[in-house]
Amino acid sequence: MTKPDKLELQSADVTRKNIEALAALFPHIVTEGLDDDGNLVHQVNFEALRQELSDYVVEGKEVYQIDWPGKLAAEFASNAPIEKTLRPNLADSVDFDTTKNLFIEGDNLEALKLLQESYLGKVRLIYIDPPYNTGGDLVYRDDFSSSTQEFLWRSRQVNEAGEKLVSNTEANGRFHSDWLSMIYPRLRLAKRFLASDGVILVSIDDAEQASLRRLMDEVFGEQNFIAQLVWEKGRKNDAKLFSNGHEYVMVYAKSKSTLRERKTTWREEKPGTREIWDEYLRLREVHGADDSAIERDLSAWFSALPRTDPSKKWARYKRVDANGPWRDDNISWPGGGGPRYDVIHPVTGLPCKVPERGWIWPDPETMKEKIRLGIVAFREDHTEPPLRKSHLRPIAGEEDSEYVEQDAGDDVELAVQVRGTYFYRQSQTSVKHLRALMGAQVFNNPKDHEVLSRLFEYVLGGKDGIVMDFFAGSGTTAEAVFDLCARTGLNCPVILVQLPELLEDNLKSATGSAKTTIQNAIKLLQKLGKPLNIAELTKIRIQKAGAQILADRKSSEWNGDTGFRAFTIDTSNFTDITTTPDAADQETLLDLVESVKTDRSGLDVLFEVLIAWGLNLAAPINVETIEGHEVYSVEDGALLACFDDQLDEALIRALALRAAADTTQKVVFKDTGFASDDAAINAHQVFEQLSPDTTVKVI
């Protein structure tokens, strides 16, 4: 018998996975060989692969693509594995035991590498607002071989001489290249997270919108481009030539063909229609079945609205029947040449006048059915064509509607519209909101959570799904998702990543209002006794926004999850093995197993196991005592873990019986927890006998 297998703890090696995928398709093109150090490696015969794909390989043709100095290095950075982990921070977490949301503090490229196995193909929406390339500093560095000490000075964004790190001014010859090298590997990784019907939204300004568009065409495929939205935020009257007050949001699908296959249609409730419906319900209570009285008072209500009120736009919904407010719509065939048949007026008994372009419905039977459903309103006599009704709350049978009749209430489906690619929202709205929420202005240029909430609702299409933002910044995405769920009853877990940029370092180069904002942020964090970095500020904003939205929740269907599990990216929980075959014989090497660092807890180790196995990092975790040992049970026993020393037979037998009863899929121990190799082998035998379907690993 053998010992339990070791669990590999580094992040996914994407290059190796790609080679394995090629080997599965074309076994003869992958061979085994030895590298310079004598290690077994797989090698790809590219000439053999070229022959396999000869019908599809274009020789001597230039290909449209975006290129820049450093692109290959950036591509390598997205594939290279890292030996790091996520350490849970219970003190900063909110509702750690029950929340499905994650907040990760650290470099987002490292975070994406650590998360990719657990959330591969599971994210329905990614929104990011990356640093705009405005001649400032890029604080992201993609060298993962640095020591902890090196990371500390890198995280302070200065070099050994105390100078600012990566000053990316427009005078820099690599001005665009540096920014592209930063964003490229992160977009490549982001694509792996998206579900087949997933969508990514990326905010950007004029400085890099052209480069980003070409880059996203390459990463996501030009065929998956959906739209380039324009977000107008207000006119700048001090501009010398044109007022440039807009930004963009790039929208790409993981697979646009999948959206077509699923007949995906994005629509949003017309702004202001909910208020009209509420007024209609109030008037129905007052006037009962008297539709004429309701029409009279509803028209007066519309007239009294301010010109800027969003409901004013829909004043045509002033007619009323048993199904609510309605407006007249076109009953003629689009473009002309439509069918012509007799439609008998119910009072005069004569055929109604046929519209010049013909009827919108193809035959008399369909017309009769629409009349029966109450979608057609006849005029006083037959001399004019009847009207087609479009209800504020669409009913069964109305065109472009999949709605069915339901009881009036808060959850009724109202008239919808397709969004345009241009929208306006004054930037000061979000500034004022955050100032009120935080007690001072502590973020520069925050995005508007209400705008994002509506945009997220639009592309999610009324379905639950994980939302990710790996440039969390001011935490707007979290508040937008909370707001969305509180309004609609959706339950969308959110994953956020933010680099702990030090505010004091940013203060040195800040001027004017930006400097005042940073000073306000520092004062707030000092008052709360928190580290002076942006990630801490983000967590505070999420907590405050979550509490406020929870208090104002509008849907009973929402689970009310505004918490988050906080994590920090750190080195592996295990000490490195430095002994080599030249320094010790093989028998000695078998005894040199990795051991847990003294400052790491069992929970630290557990999450490194979850990452390595690609399990859900928001899974419920219970801690139990079994035979005197601490045992972690994850996802109702799907995984059992014990990292204690001096593991005895009583514990092993108890866990094996528990695994068999709970149909546990995986069990993991610390290798050094066994007194000897024989003890580990015996443990393996016990599980094979009592719970043969359970995978047993050691770390």
Side-chain angles (χ1 to χ4, degrees), residues 308-332:
T308 56
D309 192 294
S311 298
K312 189 86 168 181
K313 182 178 180 181
W314 312 114
R316 285 181 62 195
Y317 287 100
K318 59 186 177 181
R319 305 287 296 277
V320 173
D321 64 14
N323 293 308
W326 61 274
R327 65 177 177 83
D328 60 283
D329 209 339
N330 201 330
I331 202 168
S332 62

PDB file of all heavy atoms in Angstrom, residues 308-332:
ATOM      1  N   THR A 308     -38.922  67.688 -15.324  1.00  0.00           N
ATOM      2  CA  THR A 308     -37.770  66.781 -15.251  1.00  0.00           C
ATOM      3  C   THR A 308     -38.113  65.424 -14.626  1.00  0.00           C
ATOM      4  O   THR A 308     -37.261  64.542 -14.580  1.00  0.00           O
ATOM      5  CB  THR A 308     -36.640  67.429 -14.422  1.00  0.00           C
ATOM      6  OG1 THR A 308     -37.146  67.780 -13.119  1.00  0.00           O
ATOM      7  CG2 THR A 308     -36.114  68.665 -15.117  1.00  0.00           C
ATOM      8  N   ASP A 309     -39.338  65.263 -14.142  1.00  0.00           N
ATOM      9  CA  ASP A 309     -39.711  63.986 -13.517  1.00  0.00           C
ATOM     10  C   ASP A 309     -39.722  62.881 -14.571  1.00  0.00           C
ATOM     11  O   ASP A 309     -40.307  63.037 -15.645  1.00  0.00           O
ATOM     12  CB  ASP A 309     -41.098  64.112 -12.878  1.00  0.00           C
ATOM     13  CG  ASP A 309     -41.423  62.943 -11.973  1.00  0.00           C
ATOM     14  OD1 ASP A 309     -41.559  61.813 -12.496  1.00  0.00           O
ATOM     15  OD2 ASP A 309     -41.527  63.139 -10.748  1.00  0.00           O
ATOM     16  N   PRO A 310     -39.082  61.732 -14.301  1.00  0.00           N
ATOM     17  CA  PRO A 310     -39.030  60.659 -15.312  1.00  0.00           C
ATOM     18  C   PRO A 310     -40.399  60.125 -15.695  1.00  0.00           C
ATOM     19  O   PRO A 310     -40.578  59.620 -16.813  1.00  0.00           O
ATOM     20  CB  PRO A 310     -38.169  59.582 -14.636  1.00  0.00           C
ATOM     21  CG  PRO A 310     -38.181  59.907 -13.178  1.00  0.00           C
ATOM     22  CD  PRO A 310     -38.313  61.390 -13.093  1.00  0.00           C
ATOM     23  N   SER A 311     -41.395  60.243 -14.818  1.00  0.00           N
ATOM     24  CA  SER A 311     -42.744  59.754 -15.149  1.00  0.00           C
ATOM     25  C   SER A 311     -43.413  60.628 -16.204  1.00  0.00           C
ATOM     26  O   SER A 311     -44.319  60.177 -16.917  1.00  0.00           O
ATOM     27  CB  SER A 311     -43.612  59.701 -13.890  1.00  0.00           C
ATOM     28  OG  SER A 311     -43.091  58.798 -12.938  1.00  0.00           O
ATOM     29  N   LYS A 312     -42.985  61.887 -16.291  1.00  0.00           N
ATOM     30  CA  LYS A 312     -43.596  62.831 -17.237  1.00  0.00           C
ATOM     31  C   LYS A 312     -43.456  62.327 -18.678  1.00  0.00           C
ATOM     32  O   LYS A 312     -44.329  62.560 -19.519  1.00  0.00           O
ATOM     33  CB  LYS A 312     -42.908  64.192 -17.090  1.00  0.00           C
ATOM     34  CG  LYS A 312     -43.571  65.335 -17.848  1.00  0.00           C
ATOM     35  CD  LYS A 312     -44.676  65.952 -17.031  1.00  0.00           C
ATOM     36  CE  LYS A 312     -45.152  67.264 -17.624  1.00  0.00           C
ATOM     37  NZ  LYS A 312     -46.222  67.881 -16.813  1.00  0.00           N
ATOM     38  N   LYS A 313     -42.366  61.622 -18.937  1.00  0.00           N
ATOM     39  CA  LYS A 313     -42.087  61.129 -20.287  1.00  0.00           C
ATOM     40  C   LYS A 313     -43.148  60.147 -20.754  1.00  0.00           C
ATOM     41  O   LYS A 313     -43.366  59.965 -21.955  1.00  0.00           O
ATOM     42  CB  LYS A 313     -40.708  60.472 -20.302  1.00  0.00           C
ATOM     43  CG  LYS A 313     -40.257  59.953 -21.657  1.00  0.00           C
ATOM     44  CD  LYS A 313     -38.862  59.357 -21.567  1.00  0.00           C
ATOM     45  CE  LYS A 313     -38.402  58.830 -22.913  1.00  0.00           C
ATOM     46  NZ  LYS A 313     -37.040  58.232 -22.832  1.00  0.00           N
ATOM     47  N   TRP A 314     -43.833  59.501 -19.806  1.00  0.00           N
ATOM     48  CA  TRP A 314     -44.789  58.460 -20.160  1.00  0.00           C
ATOM     49  C   TRP A 314     -46.233  58.926 -19.947  1.00  0.00           C
ATOM     50  O   TRP A 314     -47.117  58.127 -19.646  1.00  0.00           O
ATOM     51  CB  TRP A 314     -44.520  57.199 -19.342  1.00  0.00           C
ATOM     52  CG  TRP A 314     -43.073  56.818 -19.350  1.00  0.00           C
ATOM     53  CD1 TRP A 314     -42.222  56.819 -18.305  1.00  0.00           C
ATOM     54  CD2 TRP A 314     -42.320  56.417 -20.483  1.00  0.00           C
ATOM     55  NE1 TRP A 314     -40.963  56.438 -18.702  1.00  0.00           N
ATOM     56  CE2 TRP A 314     -40.994  56.181 -20.042  1.00  0.00           C
ATOM     57  CE3 TRP A 314     -42.619  56.226 -21.844  1.00  0.00           C
ATOM     58  CZ2 TRP A 314     -39.985  55.772 -20.895  1.00  0.00           C
ATOM     59  CZ3 TRP A 314     -41.602  55.817 -22.702  1.00  0.00           C
ATOM     60  CH2 TRP A 314     -40.310  55.596 -22.226  1.00  0.00           C
ATOM     61  N   ALA A 315     -46.479  60.223 -20.167  1.00  0.00           N
ATOM     62  CA  ALA A 315     -47.813  60.776 -19.964  1.00  0.00           C
ATOM     63  C   ALA A 315     -48.840  60.212 -20.949  1.00  0.00           C
ATOM     64  O   ALA A 315     -50.052  60.370 -20.750  1.00  0.00           O
ATOM     65  CB  ALA A 315     -47.775  62.303 -20.074  1.00  0.00           C
ATOM     66  N   ARG A 316     -48.367  59.535 -21.993  1.00  0.00           N
ATOM     67  CA  ARG A 316     -49.312  58.931 -22.940  1.00  0.00           C
ATOM     68  C   ARG A 316     -50.079  57.776 -22.302  1.00  0.00           C
ATOM     69  O   ARG A 316     -51.124  57.368 -22.810  1.00  0.00           O
ATOM     70  CB  ARG A 316     -48.565  58.430 -24.176  1.00  0.00           C
ATOM     71  CG  ARG A 316     -48.127  59.545 -25.135  1.00  0.00           C
ATOM     72  CD  ARG A 316     -47.426  58.953 -26.343  1.00  0.00           C
ATOM     73  NE  ARG A 316     -48.311  58.068 -27.106  1.00  0.00           N
ATOM     74  CZ  ARG A 316     -47.869  57.204 -28.030  1.00  0.00           C
ATOM     75  NH1 ARG A 316     -46.565  57.107 -28.267  1.00  0.00           N
ATOM     76  NH2 ARG A 316     -48.727  56.447 -28.691  1.00  0.00           N
ATOM     77  N   TYR A 317     -49.553  57.240 -21.201  1.00  0.00           N
ATOM     78  CA  TYR A 317     -50.274  56.164 -20.507  1.00  0.00           C
ATOM     79  C   TYR A 317     -51.379  56.765 -19.627  1.00  0.00           C
ATOM     80  O   TYR A 317     -51.420  56.561 -18.413  1.00  0.00           O
ATOM     81  CB  TYR A 317     -49.311  55.343 -19.638  1.00  0.00           C
ATOM     82  CG  TYR A 317     -48.380  54.442 -20.409  1.00  0.00           C
ATOM     83  CD1 TYR A 317     -47.068  54.819 -20.644  1.00  0.00           C
ATOM     84  CD2 TYR A 317     -48.816  53.213 -20.889  1.00  0.00           C
ATOM     85  CE1 TYR A 317     -46.197  53.987 -21.337  1.00  0.00           C
ATOM     86  CE2 TYR A 317     -47.960  52.381 -21.589  1.00  0.00           C
ATOM     87  CZ  TYR A 317     -46.648  52.771 -21.819  1.00  0.00           C
ATOM     88  OH  TYR A 317     -45.799  51.949 -22.515  1.00  0.00           O
ATOM     89  N   LYS A 318     -52.276  57.517 -20.255  1.00  0.00           N
ATOM     90  CA  LYS A 318     -53.316  58.214 -19.497  1.00  0.00           C
ATOM     91  C   LYS A 318     -54.694  57.570 -19.652  1.00  0.00           C
ATOM     92  O   LYS A 318     -55.638  57.964 -18.990  1.00  0.00           O
ATOM     93  CB  LYS A 318     -53.384  59.677 -19.930  1.00  0.00           C
ATOM     94  CG  LYS A 318     -53.685  59.878 -21.404  1.00  0.00           C
ATOM     95  CD  LYS A 318     -53.597  61.346 -21.780  1.00  0.00           C
ATOM     96  CE  LYS A 318     -53.835  61.543 -23.271  1.00  0.00           C
ATOM     97  NZ  LYS A 318     -53.727  62.970 -23.651  1.00  0.00           N
ATOM     98  N   ARG A 319     -54.806  56.585 -20.547  1.00  0.00           N
ATOM     99  CA  ARG A 319     -56.055  55.840 -20.684  1.00  0.00           C
ATOM    100  C   ARG A 319     -56.039  54.670 -19.710  1.00  0.00           C
ATOM    101  O   ARG A 319     -54.980  54.135 -19.373  1.00  0.00           O
ATOM    102  CB  ARG A 319     -56.213  55.334 -22.122  1.00  0.00           C
ATOM    103  CG  ARG A 319     -56.115  56.423 -23.181  1.00  0.00           C
ATOM    104  CD  ARG A 319     -57.347  57.304 -23.205  1.00  0.00           C
ATOM    105  NE  ARG A 319     -58.537  56.569 -23.579  1.00  0.00           N
ATOM    106  CZ  ARG A 319     -58.896  56.317 -24.839  1.00  0.00           C
ATOM    107  NH1 ARG A 319     -58.159  56.746 -25.850  1.00  0.00           N
ATOM    108  NH2 ARG A 319     -60.010  55.655 -25.083  1.00  0.00           N
ATOM    109  N   VAL A 320     -57.209  54.214 -19.273  1.00  0.00           N
ATOM    110  CA  VAL A 320     -57.283  53.169 -18.244  1.00  0.00           C
ATOM    111  C   VAL A 320     -58.353  52.153 -18.598  1.00  0.00           C
ATOM    112  O   VAL A 320     -59.446  52.515 -19.058  1.00  0.00           O
ATOM    113  CB  VAL A 320     -57.584  53.785 -16.856  1.00  0.00           C
ATOM    114  CG1 VAL A 320     -57.832  52.688 -15.815  1.00  0.00           C
ATOM    115  CG2 VAL A 320     -56.449  54.683 -16.406  1.00  0.00           C
ATOM    116  N   ASP A 321     -58.036  50.880 -18.423  1.00  0.00           N
ATOM    117  CA  ASP A 321     -59.042  49.819 -18.473  1.00  0.00           C
ATOM    118  C   ASP A 321     -58.801  48.876 -17.298  1.00  0.00           C
ATOM    119  O   ASP A 321     -58.037  49.204 -16.377  1.00  0.00           O
ATOM    120  CB  ASP A 321     -59.021  49.088 -19.825  1.00  0.00           C
ATOM    121  CG  ASP A 321     -57.718  48.350 -20.083  1.00  0.00           C
ATOM    122  OD1 ASP A 321     -56.909  48.161 -19.128  1.00  0.00           O
ATOM    123  OD2 ASP A 321     -57.481  47.940 -21.233  1.00  0.00           O
ATOM    124  N   ALA A 322     -59.418  47.721 -17.317  1.00  0.00           N
ATOM    125  CA  ALA A 322     -59.310  46.793 -16.184  1.00  0.00           C
ATOM    126  C   ALA A 322     -57.887  46.305 -15.958  1.00  0.00           C
ATOM    127  O   ALA A 322     -57.549  45.830 -14.867  1.00  0.00           O
ATOM    128  CB  ALA A 322     -60.245  45.603 -16.397  1.00  0.00           C
ATOM    129  N   ASN A 323     -57.020  46.423 -16.981  1.00  0.00           N
ATOM    130  CA  ASN A 323     -55.628  45.971 -16.871  1.00  0.00           C
ATOM    131  C   ASN A 323     -54.669  47.104 -16.519  1.00  0.00           C
ATOM    132  O   ASN A 323     -53.452  46.901 -16.504  1.00  0.00           O
ATOM    133  CB  ASN A 323     -55.181  45.318 -18.183  1.00  0.00           C
ATOM    134  CG  ASN A 323     -55.914  44.024 -18.452  1.00  0.00           C
ATOM    135  OD1 ASN A 323     -55.970  43.142 -17.602  1.00  0.00           O
ATOM    136  ND2 ASN A 323     -56.512  43.920 -19.637  1.00  0.00           N
ATOM    137  N   GLY A 324     -55.202  48.295 -16.269  1.00  0.00           N
ATOM    138  CA  GLY A 324     -54.356  49.400 -15.867  1.00  0.00           C
ATOM    139  C   GLY A 324     -54.175  50.445 -16.948  1.00  0.00           C
ATOM    140  O   GLY A 324     -54.850  50.425 -17.990  1.00  0.00           O
ATOM    141  N   PRO A 325     -53.243  51.382 -16.743  1.00  0.00           N
ATOM    142  CA  PRO A 325     -53.011  52.435 -17.739  1.00  0.00           C
ATOM    143  C   PRO A 325     -52.507  51.863 -19.063  1.00  0.00           C
ATOM    144  O   PRO A 325     -51.746  50.906 -19.083  1.00  0.00           O
ATOM    145  CB  PRO A 325     -51.930  53.303 -17.070  1.00  0.00           C
ATOM    146  CG  PRO A 325     -52.036  53.000 -15.603  1.00  0.00           C
ATOM    147  CD  PRO A 325     -52.442  51.573 -15.524  1.00  0.00           C
ATOM    148  N   TRP A 326     -52.953  52.503 -20.174  1.00  0.00           N
ATOM    149  CA  TRP A 326     -52.476  52.081 -21.482  1.00  0.00           C
ATOM    150  C   TRP A 326     -52.369  53.292 -22.398  1.00  0.00           C
ATOM    151  O   TRP A 326     -52.920  54.352 -22.133  1.00  0.00           O
ATOM    152  CB  TRP A 326     -53.384  51.020 -22.099  1.00  0.00           C
ATOM    153  CG  TRP A 326     -54.816  51.434 -22.345  1.00  0.00           C
ATOM    154  CD1 TRP A 326     -55.848  51.386 -21.473  1.00  0.00           C
ATOM    155  CD2 TRP A 326     -55.353  51.967 -23.570  1.00  0.00           C
ATOM    156  NE1 TRP A 326     -57.008  51.845 -22.044  1.00  0.00           N
ATOM    157  CE2 TRP A 326     -56.731  52.197 -23.348  1.00  0.00           C
ATOM    158  CE3 TRP A 326     -54.824  52.268 -24.826  1.00  0.00           C
ATOM    159  CZ2 TRP A 326     -57.569  52.717 -24.326  1.00  0.00           C
ATOM    160  CZ3 TRP A 326     -55.662  52.776 -25.816  1.00  0.00           C
ATOM    161  CH2 TRP A 326     -57.013  52.998 -25.553  1.00  0.00           C
ATOM    162  N   ARG A 327     -51.596  53.120 -23.444  1.00  0.00           N
ATOM    163  CA  ARG A 327     -51.472  54.132 -24.493  1.00  0.00           C
ATOM    164  C   ARG A 327     -51.768  53.473 -25.828  1.00  0.00           C
ATOM    165  O   ARG A 327     -51.667  52.258 -25.979  1.00  0.00           O
ATOM    166  CB  ARG A 327     -50.068  54.737 -24.517  1.00  0.00           C
ATOM    167  CG  ARG A 327     -48.968  53.760 -24.887  1.00  0.00           C
ATOM    168  CD  ARG A 327     -47.608  54.436 -24.966  1.00  0.00           C
ATOM    169  NE  ARG A 327     -46.531  53.506 -25.259  1.00  0.00           N
ATOM    170  CZ  ARG A 327     -46.189  53.086 -26.463  1.00  0.00           C
ATOM    171  NH1 ARG A 327     -46.889  53.500 -27.533  1.00  0.00           N
ATOM    172  NH2 ARG A 327     -45.193  52.255 -26.636  1.00  0.00           N
ATOM    173  N   ASP A 328     -52.168  54.280 -26.824  1.00  0.00           N
ATOM    174  CA  ASP A 328     -52.426  53.719 -28.145  1.00  0.00           C
ATOM    175  C   ASP A 328     -51.116  53.481 -28.885  1.00  0.00           C
ATOM    176  O   ASP A 328     -50.141  54.224 -28.728  1.00  0.00           O
ATOM    177  CB  ASP A 328     -53.330  54.647 -28.956  1.00  0.00           C
ATOM    178  CG  ASP A 328     -52.708  56.013 -29.154  1.00  0.00           C
ATOM    179  OD1 ASP A 328     -52.744  56.814 -28.182  1.00  0.00           O
ATOM    180  OD2 ASP A 328     -52.167  56.271 -30.238  1.00  0.00           O
ATOM    181  N   ASP A 329     -51.102  52.413 -29.664  1.00  0.00           N
ATOM    182  CA  ASP A 329     -49.907  52.030 -30.406  1.00  0.00           C
ATOM    183  C   ASP A 329     -50.305  51.768 -31.855  1.00  0.00           C
ATOM    184  O   ASP A 329     -51.495  51.697 -32.189  1.00  0.00           O
ATOM    185  CB  ASP A 329     -49.279  50.775 -29.778  1.00  0.00           C
ATOM    186  CG  ASP A 329     -47.778  50.727 -29.993  1.00  0.00           C
ATOM    187  OD1 ASP A 329     -47.287  51.398 -30.909  1.00  0.00           O
ATOM    188  OD2 ASP A 329     -47.099  50.002 -29.231  1.00  0.00           O
ATOM    189  N   ASN A 330     -49.306  51.601 -32.705  1.00  0.00           N
ATOM    190  CA  ASN A 330     -49.552  51.449 -34.130  1.00  0.00           C
ATOM    191  C   ASN A 330     -50.197  50.094 -34.418  1.00  0.00           C
ATOM    192  O   ASN A 330     -49.678  49.056 -34.015  1.00  0.00           O
ATOM    193  CB  ASN A 330     -48.234  51.561 -34.897  1.00  0.00           C
ATOM    194  CG  ASN A 330     -48.461  51.910 -36.351  1.00  0.00           C
ATOM    195  OD1 ASN A 330     -49.479  51.558 -36.929  1.00  0.00           O
ATOM    196  ND2 ASN A 330     -47.493  52.603 -36.932  1.00  0.00           N
ATOM    197  N   ILE A 331     -51.317  50.101 -35.133  1.00  0.00           N
ATOM    198  CA  ILE A 331     -52.012  48.859 -35.469  1.00  0.00           C
ATOM    199  C   ILE A 331     -51.803  48.482 -36.928  1.00  0.00           C
ATOM    200  O   ILE A 331     -52.427  47.547 -37.442  1.00  0.00           O
ATOM    201  CB  ILE A 331     -53.522  48.986 -35.149  1.00  0.00           C
ATOM    202  CG1 ILE A 331     -54.156  47.595 -34.969  1.00  0.00           C
ATOM    203  CG2 ILE A 331     -54.247  49.802 -36.224  1.00  0.00           C
ATOM    204  CD1 ILE A 331     -55.546  47.621 -34.385  1.00  0.00           C
ATOM    205  N   SER A 332     -50.901  49.200 -37.615  1.00  0.00           N
ATOM    206  CA  SER A 332     -50.669  48.941 -39.040  1.00  0.00           C
ATOM    207  C   SER A 332     -49.360  48.193 -39.261  1.00  0.00           C
ATOM    208  O   SER A 332     -48.458  48.209 -38.424  1.00  0.00           O
ATOM    209  CB  SER A 332     -50.670  50.249 -39.836  1.00  0.00           C
ATOM    210  OG  SER A 332     -49.619  51.086 -39.390  1.00  0.00           O
TER     211      SER A 332
END
